[in-house]
Amino acid sequence: DVKVTQSSRYLVKRTGEKVFLECVQDMDHENMFWYRQDPGLGLRLIYFSYDVKMKEKGDIPEGYSVSREKKERFSLILESASTNQTSMYLCASNGWTGEQFFGPGTRLTVL
Amino acid sequence: QKEVEQDPGPLSVPEGAIVSLNCTYSNSAFQYFMWYRQYSRKGPELLMYTYSSGNKEDGRFTAQVDKSSKYISLFIRDSQPSDSATYLCASNFGNEKLTFGTGTRLTIIP
């Protein structure tokens, strides 16, 4: 079974803090994705990566950056957290078949 | 116009009923179609994955794609209370980012 894990299920941070969200997949997938999910807005793509050290902006990259130093690990970074970044963050990965598998999500609250 | 449109519901049906969930899409280049189930406060779980037009069945679930009308459907037979969740449709061209519908919240009433 494909396994995508995320470092935290729940996180509370203060405005202005630097926040790291980590994602690890164990299926040797090439592609990894970060989404945020908000009520009424659905899933929105923040960044994705096709390979180590490669990154592409998604639909809402402002205020975020990413890092992919190893194939299995994809990190999302909030350089200076703001209250409008309070959301559910979901990591996903897929291989050559295109089926995309998600992690359990991190619910981030920024106070 | 969103590339993938989905009625948000909520949809409530009695246990044992057949459930029909639907999406439309606008990009005729989409080739792959997926349905995800998401329980409250959990990540989406891949339910069905289909390529191009046609039907695919897996147990009580049937996914249907009609590319001529750009219509995606998921049918759930003999619905159970454990099927209560939000269902998300998604599409892409191939091995890259997905475009999602906003999800339909489904409740099965015992």
Side-chain angles (χ1 to χ4, degrees), chain A residues 9 31 33 35 37 43 45 50 90 94-100 102-104 107, chain B residues 2 32 34 36 38 41-44 46 49 88 92 94-98 100 102:
Chain A
R9 291 299 309 278
N31 306 329
F33 306 82
Y35 296 88
Q37 186 176 32
L43 279 149
L45 183 63
Y50 288 137
L90 290 158
N94 71 6
W96 65 271
T97 61
E99 295 162 273
Q100 199 162 118
F102 283 84
R107 186 167 291 275
Chain B
K2 288 187 175 183
Y32 296 86
M34 292 163 225
Y36 288 85
Q38 186 176 23
R41 299 182 182 274
K42 299 284 176 68
L46 182 62
Y49 174 70
L88 299 154
N92 65 8
N95 184 21
E96 31 55 57
K97 62 178 182 175
L98 283 168
F100 284 87
T102 51

Side-chain angles (χ1 to χ4, degrees), chain A residues 4-52:
Chain A
V4 180
T5 57
Q6 294 183 230
S7 50
S8 306
R9 291 299 309 278
Y10 300 93
L11 213 51
V12 180
K13 295 291 181 181
R14 298 216 172 265
T15 302
E17 277 193 80
K18 192 168 186 175
V19 181
F20 293 88
L21 302 181
E22 297 252 295
C23 175
V24 178
Q25 50 93 5
D26 67 357
M27 282 302 291
D28 201 35
H29 283 168
E30 302 291 337
N31 306 329
M32 297 187 75
F33 306 82
W34 275 107
Y35 296 88
R36 64 177 283 177
Q37 186 176 32
D38 301 287
L41 297 176
L43 279 149
R44 293 180 291 168
L45 183 63
I46 305 171
Y47 266 98
F48 58 105
S49 169
Y50 288 137
D51 202 351
V52 175

Side-chain angles (χ1 to χ4, degrees), chain A residues 85-100:
Chain A
Q85 292 179 311
T86 291
S87 187
M88 172 75 135
Y89 289 88
L90 290 158
C91 175
S93 72
N94 71 6
W96 65 271
T97 61
E99 295 162 273
Q100 199 162 118

Side-chain angles (χ1 to χ4, degrees), chain B residues 16-80:
Chain B
I18 295 174
V19 175
S20 172
L21 301 167
N22 305 294
C23 292
T24 58
Y25 65 95
S26 57
N27 193 329
S28 57
F30 283 152
Q31 293 285 339
Y32 296 86
F33 304 92
M34 292 163 225
W35 282 97
Y36 288 85
R37 177 176 62 196
Q38 186 176 23
Y39 292 114
S40 182
R41 299 182 182 274
K42 299 284 176 68
E45 169 195 7
L46 182 62
L47 265 183
M48 302 290 281
Y49 174 70
T50 54
Y51 169 71
S52 196
S53 279
N55 291 1
K56 184 174 182 179
E57 191 173 317
D58 184 1
R60 296 184 296 111
F61 298 90
T62 300
Q64 196 172 79
V65 176
D66 182 345
K67 292 197 75 182
S68 62
S69 59
K70 299 191 182 69
Y71 207 75
I72 315 164
S73 300
L74 179 71
F75 299 97
I76 308 174
R77 291 185 299 281
D78 187 25
S79 55
Q80 305 293 312

